[in-house]
Amino acid sequence: EVQLVESGGGLVQPGGSLRLSCAASGFTFSSYWMHWVRQAPGKGLVWVSRINSDGSSTSYADSVKGRFTISRDNAKNTLYLQMNSLRAEDTAVYYCARSERFWSGNYYYYYMDVWGKGTTVTVSS
Amino acid sequence: DIQMTQSPSSLSASVGDRVTITCRASQSISSFLNWYQQKPGKAPKLLIYAASSLQSGVPSRFSGSGSGTDFTLTISSLQPEDFATYYCQQSDSTPWTFGQGTKVEIK
């Protein structure tokens, strides 16, 4: 079964750090780009970051750039999100998601086809 | 950044109704548009990718259309399990962005 399981969430004080993990199983993890998406309580989905299959290329939302670092260990089938200088507005459920692609004959279309159940991060004093 | 705007923000409908949700991009995104369904306390689920391609295992009552800046998600006959929040998302360029969501409620 294709599965993503997040862990590492919890309560942290403003200015603190946390590292989230996402364990992948049931597919060849090293072949896929991966994403982090978050959802603040009662709010919509917000894309946070993505990493390519070998970890050589990353991208971030402006709101987390310089504070968060996405990485992966393909030998351990695990995706990470290192979160530093945390703020109250970072409070959210954090989901990891697999990035699949579809070749139309002209373009590759990308989408997030497998999602974990999420891990909750609360930033509060 | 590309802004995605959904309408309506919420709607009430009955089982068996045809439901249409609209998503508009702030600039042309060709067909780089995906739709997700999310139920309370659950992770999002992919419904439609590349604007009109149905994800494997998703019922055929769901369909997507559009290109450029205007897109629609249609549920041809609403079922009890379809009451949820729906999000569009563009994958034309980073940062990927989502619409604000459309909550489909029971009338």
Side-chain angles (χ1 to χ4, degrees), chain A residues 4 8 19 27 32 35 38 42 48 55 62 64 70-71 74 85 95 98 101 108 113 118 122:
Chain A
L4 297 170
R19 188 176 84 155
F27 65 99
Y32 289 86
H35 299 263
R38 69 184 182 184
V48 172
D62 285 347
V64 307
I70 190 171
S71 62
N74 285 342
S85 303
Y95 297 100
R98 187 178 79 170
R101 66 182 185 178
Y108 274 116
D113 70 328
T122 303

Side-chain angles (χ1 to χ4, degrees), chain A residues 6-11 18-21 83 119-122:
Chain A
E6 302 94 338
S7 60
L11 174 64
L18 214 53
R19 188 176 84 155
L20 306 183
S21 299
M83 304 186 296
T119 187
T120 300
V121 172
T122 303

Side-chain angles (χ1 to χ4, degrees), chain A residues 11-81:
Chain A
L11 174 64
V12 61
Q13 292 187 341
S17 298
L18 214 53
R19 188 176 84 155
L20 306 183
S21 299
C22 170
S25 59
F27 65 99
T28 306
F29 178 70
S30 59
S31 297
Y32 289 86
W33 292 30
M34 297 292 296
H35 299 263
W36 288 99
V37 175
R38 69 184 182 184
Q39 186 170 36
K43 302 297 185 181
L45 301 169
V46 177
W47 177 86
V48 172
S49 182
R50 71 96 179 131
I51 188 168
N52 70 345
S53 55
D54 66 5
S56 61
S57 173
T58 59
S59 183
Y60 299 91
D62 285 347
S63 59
V64 307
K65 201 173 295 182
R67 300 187 300 122
F68 289 13
T69 302
I70 190 171
S71 62
R72 64 192 297 160
D73 186 334
N74 285 342
K76 295 183 177 180
N77 292 335
T78 303
L79 174 72
Y80 302 101
L81 186 67

Side-chain angles (χ1 to χ4, degrees), chain A residues 31-33 99-103 108-111 113, chain B residues 49:
Chain A
S31 297
Y32 289 86
W33 292 30
S99 190
E100 181 58 282
R101 66 182 185 178
F102 160 68
W103 175 247
Y108 274 116
Y109 290 91
Y110 291 87
Y111 48 95
D113 70 328
Chain B
Y49 61 93

Side-chain angles (χ1 to χ4, degrees), chain A residues 35 37 39 43-47 50 59-62 95 99 102 107-113 115-118, chain B residues 1 30-32 34 36 38 41-46 49-50 53 55 87 89 91 94-100:
Chain A
H35 299 263
V37 175
Q39 186 170 36
K43 302 297 185 181
L45 301 169
V46 177
W47 177 86
R50 71 96 179 131
S59 183
Y60 299 91
D62 285 347
Y95 297 100
S99 190
F102 160 68
Y107 303 102
Y108 274 116
Y109 290 91
Y110 291 87
Y111 48 95
M112 293 177 279
D113 70 328
W115 296 65
K117 293 183 178 181
Chain B
D1 298 1
S30 183
S31 296
F32 295 97
N34 308 310
Y36 301 87
Q38 188 180 34
K42 301 295 186 181
K45 173 187 175 183
L46 176 70
Y49 61 93
S53 295
Q55 171 68 351
Y87 295 91
Q89 174 253 320
S91 56
T94 53
W96 285 9
T97 45
F98 290 87
Q100 80 279 14

Side-chain angles (χ1 to χ4, degrees), chain B residues 43-81:
Chain B
K45 173 187 175 183
L46 176 70
L47 298 176
I48 302 285
Y49 61 93
S52 60
S53 295
L54 190 68
Q55 171 68 351
S56 176
V58 174
S60 59
R61 63 180 178 274
F62 290 93
S63 64
S65 65
S67 67
T69 60
D70 295 311
F71 303 87
T72 58
L73 173 70
T74 299
I75 309 172
S76 60
S77 178
L78 198 65
Q79 298 302 299
E81 59 268 31

